[in-house]
Amino acid sequence: MSNPKPHIIIEGAVQYSLGTMQGNQILYDFDKMLVYLDAKGKLLFGKKFKIYKEDRDILYKLCLYFIQDRIACKEFGIDIDKGILLSGPVGCGKTSLIRLFKYLVPHRKPYEVIPTRNIVFGFNHLGYKIIEDYGNGQFFCFDDLGVEPMGRHYGKDCNVMGEILLSRYDLFLERKIKTHATTNLNAAELEERYGNRVRSRMRQLFNLVAFDRGSKDKRK
């Protein structure tokens, strides 16, 4: 059953309006979305969570992407049909944000956030079935791409995430199924980690949304 009021989200006894309905369209209000994200972040991650002023530009782009505002996204060079690769230094809040944003659009199909190292541990234990499992039609966000160890199963090494990204690329071409990811690495480091072929596929799979390299570590 579709939600007649997808612009209103209820958390416990509190109701958050993200904008107004006009016909069958939602006119979203960025500041109202930030209020909701801050409240939901505290519910998910604890009282210390906060939305930082210096992250407004990134948050604005992510909001536009997740509400699928095609025209505004185009101005920022964001293709709403691709996934998001959220990059930035350690501790800048990438994982929290990517976990949080799926709650902003509860009327859309959610994605599952999976740490890449867990996927590799699964491969070491179960082998190539793991690559097939993540090459299926589900929506995933691969957290911490590029820092996972090399996979090894029965003495054979495998760049597990590289293989999965190739499978996800095929899914994207055939069925427009999106993939999201977070990473601490820059483009050159990703290419070194996965090779030129995977890197070129990643350009077609992802919109790069990057925190400033100087972003502070919010965990300190």
Side-chain angles (χ1 to χ4, degrees):
M1 196 178 91
S2 66
N3 177 2
K5 294 184 176 178
H7 64 301
I8 291 173
I9 301 179
I10 295 164
E11 295 287 349
V14 187
Q15 187 168 296
Y16 296 92
S17 169
L18 306 182
T20 53
M21 287 298 283
Q22 195 167 59
N24 61 354
Q25 274 193 315
I26 305 172
L27 299 179
Y28 282 97
D29 178 318
F30 179 52
D31 287 312
K32 287 180 176 175
M33 289 194 277
L34 289 185
V35 168
Y36 171 70
L37 289 168
D38 188 62
K40 184 66 178 175
K42 286 179 168 61
L43 287 172
L44 288 173
F45 310 117
K47 291 276 186 283
K48 283 187 175 170
F49 179 86
K50 65 184 261 198
I51 294 287
Y52 289 84
K53 271 201 185 83
E54 64 263 33
D55 294 340
R56 269 183 83 95
D57 287 354
I58 288 252
L59 291 163
Y60 186 59
K61 286 181 193 169
L62 289 172
C63 280
L64 291 177
Y65 173 82
F66 279 98
I67 64 173
Q68 300 277 280
D69 186 331
R70 194 178 285 273
I71 293 164
C73 279
K74 202 169 181 183
E75 287 174 27
F76 287 102
I78 294 170
D79 180 343
I80 64 169
D81 296 318
K82 294 182 181 182
I84 289 284
L85 177 61
L86 190 56
S87 99
V90 172
C92 68
K94 302 181 296 295
T95 301
S96 300
L97 288 181
I98 209 79
R99 286 183 182 278
L100 181 57
F101 261 90
K102 64 180 176 182
Y103 295 98
L104 189 68
V105 281
H107 54 297
R108 298 194 197 281
K109 188 177 172 183
Y111 49 86
E112 200 181 338
V113 181
I114 314 271
T116 53
R117 53 199 296 271
N118 292 10
I119 295 173
V120 174
F121 293 151
F123 172 85
N124 294 347
H125 182 56
L126 298 168
Y128 287 85
K129 180 185 180 301
I130 286 290
I131 293 173
E132 286 169 30
D133 288 349
Y134 287 101
N136 70 17
Q138 269 183 277
F139 284 5
F140 290 111
C141 171
F142 300 125
D143 189 30
D144 251 352
L145 189 65
V147 297
E148 74 280 354
M150 184 64 84
R152 194 172 178 86
H153 186 66
Y154 283 122
K156 276 192 176 174
D157 286 344
C158 177
N159 190 330
V160 177
M161 289 311 304
E163 292 298 326
I164 287 173
L165 288 170
L166 291 174
S167 297
R168 301 295 302 179
Y169 173 74
D170 290 340
L171 268 180
F172 174 67
L173 286 188
E174 290 160 18
R175 293 162 52 194
K176 288 287 174 247
I177 288 176
K178 291 181 192 174
T179 305
H180 303 308
T182 71
T183 186
N184 304 330
L185 306 186
N186 61 32
E189 290 166 330
L190 284 167
E191 185 157 330
E192 193 180 316
R193 183 76 176 77
Y194 297 115
N196 179 268
R197 180 167 167 242
V198 173
R199 175 73 189 117
S200 77
R201 300 288 190 275
M202 286 175 74
R203 285 190 192 96
Q204 291 162 283
L205 260 182
F206 297 120
N207 295 287
L208 178 62
V209 177
F211 278 87
D212 188 58
R213 283 279 142 205
S215 290
K216 67 182 181 189
D217 187 339
K218 297 174 177 103
R219 295 186 292 207
K220 288 180 177 171

